[in-house]
Amino acid sequence: MLRAMKPIQPFDFSWKRQTPRPVSLYIHWPFCEQICPYCDFNKYLNRDVDHPRMKRAFLTELKQSIKEAKEYNPQGIQIPSIYFGGGTPSLAEPSTFEEILDELRTQDLLLPDCEITLEVNPTSDRESRLHLFKGIANRISLGVQAFNDADLKFLGRTHTSDEAISSIRRAQDLFPRITFDLIYGRHGDQTPSRWVDELKQAFNLKPGHISMYGLTIEPKTRFHTDVQEKKMIPMGSDEMADLYEIALDTAAEMGYYQYETSNFANSQLEESRHNLHYWNGGDFIGIGPGAAGRLTDHNYRRHALKKISGPVKWMRSLELNSDATFENTLLSDAEFVEEFVVCGLRKTRGISVENLRDVLGVSNFREVFEEGSLVELRELGLIEEDTCLKTTRRGMMLMNQVLLTLFSAIKTGES
């Protein structure tokens, strides 16, 4: 348990109070055609969805959330990025998202180069709805997960490898930027040589961006039950680490670079601006069932917000109260620092001094952490520290050790 940290004395932030605060927007569409066995997100089967009622609820919550963000930030807000996630947001009626964007334009909140990402599942050409969202999103994120039909079936996906490739090409024709996800560590038959072949197939499709995640067994999922009942044996941590290192090497060989623990791009323009906003400690609004948000008030205190999870209860609360906030928690200084460090060290560029100053109001990492722990991690070859604090490649592999050491070194004092 962390001790309470003595409040950090901020610099003069008066200049920041004169400019609108960048606040990203996450919109959660909770419905899916089927529930994947590994997924622990807030999701529900796409059955008898009342689309007009969902649209009204989204618009009500959007207006309320913007009003709240403006109350925290009297200088105003601007939106640099929007992410339609889920669930499967491409199952929504396009007009729902169009009206959300119309409301943001009416309030003059969108930055001119606002990144707007839509999550989509690969489908057959006949079932594709991609074209319906061409005027809405400028970036598409495809949940490919594998280019192997047997593994796709194992992961509970309904598309085939050929359909995934077709969906990627279709998205490339319709949208300026695309990314897709892959999952590794699926089972013991995913050998290093097969993983290399699959990675090369993925990179040869020439997306601007790829995300790769190790399969984790999460509570309340079918895979978790299967492991408990010994119907499934998850891949060991050493084997998972080997596949991760193969991904790093293959990405570099194919002309991509890692900019975050699980994310790879072929140019800085292709990096996810929305996720970088999170990882840099930026504020964000979350709307939709179960959506989370983070807002910093005018006293530079960080609030963690969570919306009601169940879609029907969420809609009912908005209809009755124009609000569906389930929790609004003021983070302690230590919790604020923890979140910032966890997110910031995911980036290969780490946490810059400028980023540290903007978010925590200090100009030196030794104002946040005991110097001995920084020296220890540096001598172990796990971090580098000059104008930024970042992990080495070895440190990235041993991130838990790095974080535990830093968390125990957060400066405390008598309040």
Side-chain angles (χ1 to χ4, degrees):
M1 193 73 164
L2 286 172
R3 297 163 290 172
M5 188 178 73
K6 187 176 181 179
I8 296 171
Q9 296 302 311
F11 287 103
D12 177 10
F13 280 118
S14 59
W15 64 275
K16 290 183 72 175
R17 293 193 179 99
Q18 306 307 313
T19 58
R21 181 187 291 276
V23 178
S24 288
L25 175 63
Y26 174 77
I27 297 145
H28 189 75
W29 182 266
F31 301 108
C32 291
E33 289 290 4
Q34 73 170 40
I35 306 301
C36 295
Y38 56 86
C39 180
D40 69 336
F41 294 167
N42 186 45
K43 75 285 180 189
Y44 305 84
L45 285 173
N46 191 47
R47 302 287 184 268
D48 301 319
V49 177
D50 188 337
H51 287 272
R53 190 181 180 197
M54 286 289 292
K55 181 197 294 185
R56 290 193 297 272
F58 272 119
L59 290 169
T60 298
E61 185 165 49
L62 177 68
K63 293 171 186 176
Q64 169 60 27
S65 297
I66 289 171
K67 179 182 176 184
E68 182 176 33
K70 287 179 175 178
E71 288 171 353
Y72 284 149
N73 298 281
Q75 76 275 30
I77 65 170
Q78 290 182 320
I79 297 178
S81 66
I82 299 171
Y83 197 100
F84 294 104
T88 309
S90 57
L91 294 175
E93 292 297 326
S95 63
T96 297
F97 297 161
E98 287 171 342
E99 292 195 30
I100 287 173
L101 296 178
D102 286 344
E103 177 61 30
L104 296 173
R105 292 188 185 102
T106 297
Q107 296 199 36
D108 196 25
L109 296 178
L110 292 182
L111 287 176
D113 61 347
C114 181
E115 176 189 85
I116 305 174
T117 303
L118 175 75
E119 286 185 346
V120 175
N121 281 333
T123 61
S124 67
D125 291 344
R126 179 178 57 81
E127 296 171 322
S128 176
R129 289 167 52 86
L130 269 175
H131 63 284
L132 301 176
F133 296 91
K134 185 176 179 182
I136 295 172
N138 53 31
R139 183 173 183 267
I140 292 295
S141 177
L142 285 150
V144 171
Q145 317 309 358
F147 288 105
N148 174 303
D149 287 348
D151 286 1
L152 286 168
K153 185 176 181 180
F154 168 74
L155 292 169
R157 308 300 286 173
T158 58
H159 63 272
T160 65
S161 177
D162 286 344
E163 287 171 344
I165 293 169
S166 177
S167 293
I168 290 167
R169 289 176 174 155
R170 193 182 313 118
Q172 288 170 324
D173 288 340
L174 291 170
F175 298 89
R177 297 172 60 204
I178 78 146
T179 179
F180 58 80
D181 297 346
L182 293 176
I183 292 175
Y184 63 90
R186 303 164 200 153
H187 47 67
D189 291 337
Q190 191 185 21
T191 63
S193 62
R194 289 180 180 175
W195 180 224
V196 169
D197 290 343
E198 194 168 7
L199 286 169
K200 289 184 175 179
Q201 182 180 10
F203 287 119
N204 278 328
L205 290 166
K206 303 190 184 311
H209 186 283
I210 293 181
S211 299
M212 290 181 252
Y213 304 102
L215 178 64
T216 56
I217 307 301
E218 302 292 348
K220 299 181 181 179
T221 64
R222 201 196 79 203
F223 274 174
H224 185 264
T225 302
D226 288 348
V227 170
Q228 287 188 317
E229 296 177 354
K230 303 191 185 306
K231 295 177 182 177
M232 173 184 172
I233 301 174
M235 184 176 284
S237 58
D238 289 344
E239 291 84 358
M240 290 275 281
D242 289 343
L243 295 184
Y244 181 64
E245 292 214 71
I246 286 170
L248 301 185
D249 293 338
T250 306
E253 177 189 333
M254 300 295 288
Y256 290 72
Y257 65 94
Q258 180 190 32
Y259 72 97
E260 189 270 347
T261 306
S262 304
N263 287 276
F264 303 79
N266 62 12
S267 78
Q268 195 164 345
L269 291 174
E270 294 290 348
E271 295 178 11
S272 169
R273 293 180 224 159
H274 187 82
N275 286 339
L276 281 169
H277 187 79
Y278 290 165
W279 301 324
N280 285 328
D283 282 15
F284 60 97
I285 293 168
I287 68 170
R294 292 290 185 275
L295 291 174
T296 307
D297 64 28
H298 61 281
N299 291 317
Y300 294 91
R301 298 174 302 180
R302 185 80 152 176
H303 296 256
L305 299 98
K306 184 72 183 289
K307 303 302 173 64
I308 293 169
S309 295
V312 173
K313 290 183 178 179
W314 170 78
M315 287 187 285
R316 188 179 299 128
S317 180
L318 286 162
E319 289 160 353
L320 293 175
N321 307 310
S322 297
D323 190 8
T325 303
F326 176 66
E327 293 177 350
N328 184 342
T329 304
L330 181 63
L331 298 183
S332 69
D333 289 330
E335 289 169 333
F336 191 174
V337 172
E338 279 190 13
E339 278 198 356
F340 177 63
V341 172
V342 167
C343 292
L345 288 185
R346 293 183 64 89
K347 300 173 295 177
T348 56
R349 292 188 283 269
I351 302 168
S352 69
V353 170
E354 181 183 16
N355 190 197
L356 185 76
R357 181 179 183 271
D358 283 349
V359 177
L360 297 183
V362 297
S363 60
N364 192 303
F365 296 106
R366 283 161 183 74
E367 295 181 64
V368 181
F369 305 108
E370 300 290 349
E371 184 171 4
S373 294
L374 294 172
V375 171
E376 174 191 344
L377 290 170
R378 196 166 60 245
E379 289 179 347
L380 289 170
L382 300 181
I383 66 166
E384 296 174 359
E385 181 198 1
D386 39 52
T387 58
C388 66
L389 178 67
K390 63 182 180 180
T391 60
T392 60
R393 176 161 168 165
R394 182 165 177 264
M396 187 77 76
M397 301 288 291
L398 298 172
M399 183 66 79
N400 285 344
Q401 179 181 340
V402 173
L403 293 175
L404 287 172
T405 301
L406 290 175
F407 289 170
S408 65
I410 293 176
K411 283 193 172 180
T412 59
E414 298 296 325
S415 54

mmCIF file of all heavy atoms in Angstrom, residues 373-407:
data_model
loop_
_atom_site.group_PDB
_atom_site.id
_atom_site.type_symbol
_atom_site.label_atom_id
_atom_site.label_comp_id
_atom_site.label_asym_id
_atom_site.label_seq_id
_atom_site.Cartn_x
_atom_site.Cartn_y
_atom_site.Cartn_z
ATOM 1 N N SER A 373 16.550 4.784 -5.956
ATOM 2 C CA SER A 373 15.847 3.818 -6.795
ATOM 3 C C SER A 373 16.126 4.064 -8.278
ATOM 4 O O SER A 373 16.251 3.123 -9.060
ATOM 5 C CB SER A 373 14.343 3.884 -6.528
ATOM 6 O OG SER A 373 14.057 3.450 -5.220
ATOM 7 N N LEU A 374 16.230 5.325 -8.677
ATOM 8 C CA LEU A 374 16.566 5.636 -10.061
ATOM 9 C C LEU A 374 17.972 5.123 -10.386
ATOM 10 O O LEU A 374 18.199 4.548 -11.457
ATOM 11 C CB LEU A 374 16.483 7.145 -10.300
ATOM 12 C CG LEU A 374 15.087 7.774 -10.196
ATOM 13 C CD1 LEU A 374 15.182 9.297 -10.267
ATOM 14 C CD2 LEU A 374 14.167 7.252 -11.290
ATOM 15 N N VAL A 375 18.896 5.327 -9.455
ATOM 16 C CA VAL A 375 20.269 4.838 -9.660
ATOM 17 C C VAL A 375 20.283 3.314 -9.758
ATOM 18 O O VAL A 375 20.939 2.733 -10.630
ATOM 19 C CB VAL A 375 21.182 5.318 -8.510
ATOM 20 C CG1 VAL A 375 22.555 4.646 -8.597
ATOM 21 C CG2 VAL A 375 21.328 6.835 -8.539
ATOM 22 N N GLU A 376 19.521 2.659 -8.880
ATOM 23 C CA GLU A 376 19.463 1.194 -8.883
ATOM 24 C C GLU A 376 18.951 0.655 -10.221
ATOM 25 O O GLU A 376 19.557 -0.259 -10.813
ATOM 26 C CB GLU A 376 18.548 0.718 -7.755
ATOM 27 C CG GLU A 376 18.298 -0.794 -7.738
ATOM 28 C CD GLU A 376 17.185 -1.186 -6.779
ATOM 29 O OE1 GLU A 376 16.815 -0.360 -5.909
ATOM 30 O OE2 GLU A 376 16.672 -2.316 -6.918
ATOM 31 N N LEU A 377 17.865 1.221 -10.712
ATOM 32 C CA LEU A 377 17.297 0.761 -11.982
ATOM 33 C C LEU A 377 18.235 1.041 -13.152
ATOM 34 O O LEU A 377 18.339 0.238 -14.086
ATOM 35 C CB LEU A 377 15.943 1.421 -12.217
ATOM 36 C CG LEU A 377 14.804 0.973 -11.303
ATOM 37 C CD1 LEU A 377 13.579 1.875 -11.484
ATOM 38 C CD2 LEU A 377 14.417 -0.481 -11.582
ATOM 39 N N ARG A 378 18.930 2.174 -13.084
ATOM 40 C CA ARG A 378 19.877 2.504 -14.148
ATOM 41 C C ARG A 378 21.052 1.535 -14.138
ATOM 42 O O ARG A 378 21.497 1.060 -15.186
ATOM 43 C CB ARG A 378 20.350 3.944 -13.984
ATOM 44 C CG ARG A 378 21.013 4.517 -15.227
ATOM 45 C CD ARG A 378 21.166 6.023 -15.157
ATOM 46 N NE ARG A 378 21.965 6.451 -14.027
ATOM 47 C CZ ARG A 378 21.488 7.178 -13.007
ATOM 48 N NH1 ARG A 378 20.232 7.559 -12.998
ATOM 49 N NH2 ARG A 378 22.272 7.535 -12.011
ATOM 50 N N GLU A 379 21.553 1.184 -12.963
ATOM 51 C CA GLU A 379 22.690 0.265 -12.858
ATOM 52 C C GLU A 379 22.313 -1.154 -13.275
ATOM 53 O O GLU A 379 23.156 -1.918 -13.757
ATOM 54 C CB GLU A 379 23.242 0.273 -11.431
ATOM 55 C CG GLU A 379 23.965 1.584 -11.092
ATOM 56 C CD GLU A 379 24.492 1.607 -9.666
ATOM 57 O OE1 GLU A 379 24.095 0.720 -8.867
ATOM 58 O OE2 GLU A 379 25.292 2.520 -9.354
ATOM 59 N N LEU A 380 21.028 -1.507 -13.109
ATOM 60 C CA LEU A 380 20.550 -2.819 -13.553
ATOM 61 C C LEU A 380 20.296 -2.860 -15.061
ATOM 62 O O LEU A 380 19.959 -3.919 -15.606
ATOM 63 C CB LEU A 380 19.262 -3.182 -12.805
ATOM 64 C CG LEU A 380 19.404 -3.532 -11.323
ATOM 65 C CD1 LEU A 380 18.030 -3.638 -10.668
ATOM 66 C CD2 LEU A 380 20.175 -4.847 -11.156
ATOM 67 N N GLY A 381 20.446 -1.711 -15.711
ATOM 68 C CA GLY A 381 20.222 -1.660 -17.151
ATOM 69 C C GLY A 381 18.754 -1.691 -17.538
ATOM 70 O O GLY A 381 18.415 -2.098 -18.655
ATOM 71 N N LEU A 382 17.871 -1.230 -16.620
ATOM 72 C CA LEU A 382 16.426 -1.282 -16.883
ATOM 73 C C LEU A 382 15.849 0.055 -17.323
ATOM 74 O O LEU A 382 14.784 0.084 -17.949
ATOM 75 C CB LEU A 382 15.698 -1.782 -15.632
ATOM 76 C CG LEU A 382 16.088 -3.181 -15.141
ATOM 77 C CD1 LEU A 382 15.277 -3.549 -13.901
ATOM 78 C CD2 LEU A 382 15.897 -4.216 -16.220
ATOM 79 N N ILE A 383 16.520 1.153 -16.983
ATOM 80 C CA ILE A 383 16.030 2.465 -17.406
ATOM 81 C C ILE A 383 17.189 3.309 -17.920
ATOM 82 O O ILE A 383 18.364 3.031 -17.633
ATOM 83 C CB ILE A 383 15.312 3.234 -16.270
ATOM 84 C CG1 ILE A 383 16.301 3.590 -15.149
ATOM 85 C CG2 ILE A 383 14.113 2.475 -15.751
ATOM 86 C CD1 ILE A 383 15.760 4.615 -14.164
ATOM 87 N N GLU A 384 16.819 4.344 -18.679
ATOM 88 C CA GLU A 384 17.747 5.407 -19.060
ATOM 89 C C GLU A 384 17.125 6.718 -18.606
ATOM 90 O O GLU A 384 15.903 6.869 -18.601
ATOM 91 C CB GLU A 384 17.970 5.416 -20.574
ATOM 92 C CG GLU A 384 18.627 4.157 -21.104
ATOM 93 C CD GLU A 384 18.704 4.133 -22.622
ATOM 94 O OE1 GLU A 384 18.225 5.112 -23.259
ATOM 95 O OE2 GLU A 384 19.230 3.153 -23.176
ATOM 96 N N GLU A 385 17.985 7.657 -18.237
ATOM 97 C CA GLU A 385 17.459 8.925 -17.730
ATOM 98 C C GLU A 385 18.383 10.057 -18.146
ATOM 99 O O GLU A 385 19.561 10.066 -17.815
ATOM 100 C CB GLU A 385 17.366 8.871 -16.200
ATOM 101 C CG GLU A 385 16.809 10.125 -15.576
ATOM 102 C CD GLU A 385 17.143 10.208 -14.098
ATOM 103 O OE1 GLU A 385 17.825 9.307 -13.575
ATOM 104 O OE2 GLU A 385 16.752 11.219 -13.493
ATOM 105 N N ASP A 386 17.872 10.970 -18.951
ATOM 106 C CA ASP A 386 18.567 12.213 -19.260
ATOM 107 C C ASP A 386 17.494 13.294 -19.395
ATOM 108 O O ASP A 386 17.007 13.810 -18.397
ATOM 109 C CB ASP A 386 19.454 12.087 -20.508
ATOM 110 C CG ASP A 386 18.803 11.246 -21.597
ATOM 111 O OD1 ASP A 386 17.638 11.534 -21.956
ATOM 112 O OD2 ASP A 386 19.453 10.309 -22.089
ATOM 113 N N THR A 387 17.093 13.608 -20.638
ATOM 114 C CA THR A 387 15.979 14.545 -20.803
ATOM 115 C C THR A 387 14.638 13.829 -20.733
ATOM 116 O O THR A 387 13.590 14.454 -20.867
ATOM 117 C CB THR A 387 16.093 15.278 -22.148
ATOM 118 O OG1 THR A 387 16.101 14.314 -23.196
ATOM 119 C CG2 THR A 387 17.367 16.110 -22.200
ATOM 120 N N CYS A 388 14.680 12.516 -20.572
ATOM 121 C CA CYS A 388 13.452 11.731 -20.391
ATOM 122 C C CYS A 388 13.766 10.521 -19.528
ATOM 123 O O CYS A 388 14.926 10.153 -19.352
ATOM 124 C CB CYS A 388 12.867 11.298 -21.740
ATOM 125 S SG CYS A 388 13.917 10.153 -22.639
ATOM 126 N N LEU A 389 12.722 9.937 -18.979
ATOM 127 C CA LEU A 389 12.841 8.696 -18.227
ATOM 128 C C LEU A 389 12.194 7.603 -19.057
ATOM 129 O O LEU A 389 10.998 7.676 -19.359
ATOM 130 C CB LEU A 389 12.127 8.822 -16.875
ATOM 131 C CG LEU A 389 12.114 7.573 -15.985
ATOM 132 C CD1 LEU A 389 13.517 7.248 -15.496
ATOM 133 C CD2 LEU A 389 11.169 7.768 -14.802
ATOM 134 N N LYS A 390 12.971 6.598 -19.457
ATOM 135 C CA LYS A 390 12.432 5.541 -20.302
ATOM 136 C C LYS A 390 13.080 4.215 -19.957
ATOM 137 O O LYS A 390 14.166 4.155 -19.385
ATOM 138 C CB LYS A 390 12.648 5.861 -21.777
ATOM 139 C CG LYS A 390 14.108 5.947 -22.202
ATOM 140 C CD LYS A 390 14.203 6.322 -23.675
ATOM 141 C CE LYS A 390 15.659 6.420 -24.135
ATOM 142 N NZ LYS A 390 15.758 6.787 -25.567
ATOM 143 N N THR A 391 12.382 3.138 -20.313
ATOM 144 C CA THR A 391 12.931 1.813 -20.096
ATOM 145 C C THR A 391 13.838 1.432 -21.263
ATOM 146 O O THR A 391 13.668 1.891 -22.393
ATOM 147 C CB THR A 391 11.820 0.753 -19.981
ATOM 148 O OG1 THR A 391 11.059 0.737 -21.188
ATOM 149 C CG2 THR A 391 10.915 1.026 -18.794
ATOM 150 N N THR A 392 14.811 0.589 -20.966
ATOM 151 C CA THR A 392 15.577 -0.059 -22.025
ATOM 152 C C THR A 392 14.725 -1.207 -22.577
ATOM 153 O O THR A 392 13.630 -1.493 -22.067
ATOM 154 C CB THR A 392 16.880 -0.632 -21.464
ATOM 155 O OG1 THR A 392 16.549 -1.608 -20.452
ATOM 156 C CG2 THR A 392 17.737 0.462 -20.831
ATOM 157 N N ARG A 393 15.232 -1.887 -23.608
ATOM 158 C CA ARG A 393 14.481 -3.042 -24.120
ATOM 159 C C ARG A 393 14.327 -4.085 -23.020
ATOM 160 O O ARG A 393 13.249 -4.659 -22.843
ATOM 161 C CB ARG A 393 15.199 -3.638 -25.340
ATOM 162 C CG ARG A 393 14.537 -4.891 -25.873
ATOM 163 C CD ARG A 393 14.955 -5.184 -27.288
ATOM 164 N NE ARG A 393 14.551 -6.515 -27.710
ATOM 165 C CZ ARG A 393 14.526 -6.918 -28.973
ATOM 166 N NH1 ARG A 393 14.875 -6.092 -29.948
ATOM 167 N NH2 ARG A 393 14.151 -8.143 -29.292
ATOM 168 N N ARG A 394 15.377 -4.305 -22.248
ATOM 169 C CA ARG A 394 15.295 -5.262 -21.135
ATOM 170 C C ARG A 394 14.300 -4.765 -20.086
ATOM 171 O O ARG A 394 13.529 -5.537 -19.520
ATOM 172 C CB ARG A 394 16.680 -5.459 -20.516
ATOM 173 C CG ARG A 394 16.725 -6.472 -19.374
ATOM 174 C CD ARG A 394 18.151 -6.885 -19.042
ATOM 175 N NE ARG A 394 18.175 -7.786 -17.904
ATOM 176 C CZ ARG A 394 18.401 -7.404 -16.656
ATOM 177 N NH1 ARG A 394 18.653 -6.125 -16.395
ATOM 178 N NH2 ARG A 394 18.390 -8.277 -15.664
ATOM 179 N N GLY A 395 14.312 -3.458 -19.827
ATOM 180 C CA GLY A 395 13.379 -2.894 -18.867
ATOM 181 C C GLY A 395 11.941 -3.039 -19.303
ATOM 182 O O GLY A 395 11.043 -3.250 -18.478
ATOM 183 N N MET A 396 11.708 -2.923 -20.627
ATOM 184 C CA MET A 396 10.356 -3.111 -21.150
ATOM 185 C C MET A 396 9.880 -4.539 -20.874
ATOM 186 O O MET A 396 8.717 -4.764 -20.531
ATOM 187 C CB MET A 396 10.337 -2.828 -22.652
ATOM 188 C CG MET A 396 8.968 -2.834 -23.289
ATOM 189 S SD MET A 396 7.987 -1.348 -22.987
ATOM 190 C CE MET A 396 8.740 -0.157 -24.091
ATOM 191 N N MET A 397 10.804 -5.505 -20.992
ATOM 192 C CA MET A 397 10.452 -6.904 -20.740
ATOM 193 C C MET A 397 10.201 -7.147 -19.243
ATOM 194 O O MET A 397 9.462 -8.049 -18.875
ATOM 195 C CB MET A 397 11.571 -7.826 -21.220
ATOM 196 C CG MET A 397 11.911 -7.706 -22.701
ATOM 197 S SD MET A 397 10.640 -8.418 -23.754
ATOM 198 C CE MET A 397 10.822 -10.156 -23.393
ATOM 199 N N LEU A 398 10.839 -6.337 -18.398
ATOM 200 C CA LEU A 398 10.715 -6.492 -16.943
ATOM 201 C C LEU A 398 9.965 -5.292 -16.343
ATOM 202 O O LEU A 398 10.310 -4.776 -15.287
ATOM 203 C CB LEU A 398 12.101 -6.629 -16.309
ATOM 204 C CG LEU A 398 12.919 -7.854 -16.755
ATOM 205 C CD1 LEU A 398 14.336 -7.780 -16.208
ATOM 206 C CD2 LEU A 398 12.242 -9.151 -16.303
ATOM 207 N N MET A 399 8.926 -4.865 -17.049
ATOM 208 C CA MET A 399 8.208 -3.651 -16.663
ATOM 209 C C MET A 399 7.658 -3.715 -15.247
ATOM 210 O O MET A 399 7.690 -2.716 -14.509
ATOM 211 C CB MET A 399 7.064 -3.386 -17.654
ATOM 212 C CG MET A 399 6.296 -2.096 -17.396
ATOM 213 S SD MET A 399 7.287 -0.606 -17.648
ATOM 214 C CE MET A 399 7.223 -0.498 -19.447
ATOM 215 N N ASN A 400 7.148 -4.867 -14.832
ATOM 216 C CA ASN A 400 6.591 -4.959 -13.473
ATOM 217 C C ASN A 400 7.638 -4.639 -12.420
ATOM 218 O O ASN A 400 7.354 -3.961 -11.425
ATOM 219 C CB ASN A 400 5.994 -6.354 -13.233
ATOM 220 C CG ASN A 400 4.674 -6.541 -13.950
ATOM 221 O OD1 ASN A 400 4.053 -5.573 -14.384
ATOM 222 N ND2 ASN A 400 4.238 -7.780 -14.089
ATOM 223 N N GLN A 401 8.861 -5.136 -12.618
ATOM 224 C CA GLN A 401 9.938 -4.857 -11.666
ATOM 225 C C GLN A 401 10.256 -3.363 -11.637
ATOM 226 O O GLN A 401 10.436 -2.772 -10.565
ATOM 227 C CB GLN A 401 11.194 -5.646 -12.050
ATOM 228 C CG GLN A 401 12.378 -5.407 -11.119
ATOM 229 C CD GLN A 401 13.618 -6.187 -11.526
ATOM 230 O OE1 GLN A 401 13.533 -7.173 -12.256
ATOM 231 N NE2 GLN A 401 14.779 -5.750 -11.057
ATOM 232 N N VAL A 402 10.307 -2.749 -12.813
ATOM 233 C CA VAL A 402 10.578 -1.313 -12.892
ATOM 234 C C VAL A 402 9.495 -0.523 -12.149
ATOM 235 O O VAL A 402 9.797 0.365 -11.337
ATOM 236 C CB VAL A 402 10.652 -0.858 -14.366
ATOM 237 C CG1 VAL A 402 10.762 0.666 -14.448
ATOM 238 C CG2 VAL A 402 11.836 -1.511 -15.078
ATOM 239 N N LEU A 403 8.238 -0.860 -12.410
ATOM 240 C CA LEU A 403 7.140 -0.102 -11.806
ATOM 241 C C LEU A 403 7.089 -0.281 -10.293
ATOM 242 O O LEU A 403 6.886 0.691 -9.549
ATOM 243 C CB LEU A 403 5.811 -0.523 -12.436
ATOM 244 C CG LEU A 403 5.628 -0.147 -13.910
ATOM 245 C CD1 LEU A 403 4.317 -0.723 -14.448
ATOM 246 C CD2 LEU A 403 5.653 1.372 -14.102
ATOM 247 N N LEU A 404 7.274 -1.503 -9.818
ATOM 248 C CA LEU A 404 7.250 -1.731 -8.374
ATOM 249 C C LEU A 404 8.346 -0.947 -7.668
ATOM 250 O O LEU A 404 8.127 -0.382 -6.587
ATOM 251 C CB LEU A 404 7.391 -3.231 -8.080
ATOM 252 C CG LEU A 404 6.155 -4.093 -8.385
ATOM 253 C CD1 LEU A 404 6.493 -5.581 -8.239
ATOM 254 C CD2 LEU A 404 4.996 -3.727 -7.462
ATOM 255 N N THR A 405 9.520 -0.898 -8.296
ATOM 256 C CA THR A 405 10.624 -0.138 -7.702
ATOM 257 C C THR A 405 10.297 1.349 -7.673
ATOM 258 O O THR A 405 10.507 2.036 -6.662
ATOM 259 C CB THR A 405 11.922 -0.375 -8.499
ATOM 260 O OG1 THR A 405 12.235 -1.771 -8.490
ATOM 261 C CG2 THR A 405 13.086 0.401 -7.894
ATOM 262 N N LEU A 406 9.753 1.870 -8.765
ATOM 263 C CA LEU A 406 9.421 3.293 -8.811
ATOM 264 C C LEU A 406 8.282 3.641 -7.863
ATOM 265 O O LEU A 406 8.312 4.678 -7.194
ATOM 266 C CB LEU A 406 9.061 3.701 -10.245
ATOM 267 C CG LEU A 406 10.220 3.720 -11.248
ATOM 268 C CD1 LEU A 406 9.709 4.025 -12.643
ATOM 269 C CD2 LEU A 406 11.282 4.750 -10.837
ATOM 270 N N PHE A 407 7.265 2.769 -7.788
ATOM 271 C CA PHE A 407 6.138 3.053 -6.902
ATOM 272 C C PHE A 407 6.584 3.132 -5.441
ATOM 273 O O PHE A 407 6.100 3.969 -4.677
ATOM 274 C CB PHE A 407 5.051 1.996 -7.052
ATOM 275 C CG PHE A 407 4.303 2.055 -8.355
ATOM 276 C CD1 PHE A 407 3.435 1.034 -8.726
ATOM 277 C CD2 PHE A 407 4.454 3.119 -9.224
ATOM 278 C CE1 PHE A 407 2.746 1.077 -9.924
ATOM 279 C CE2 PHE A 407 3.772 3.179 -10.430
ATOM 280 C CZ PHE A 407 2.912 2.152 -10.777
#
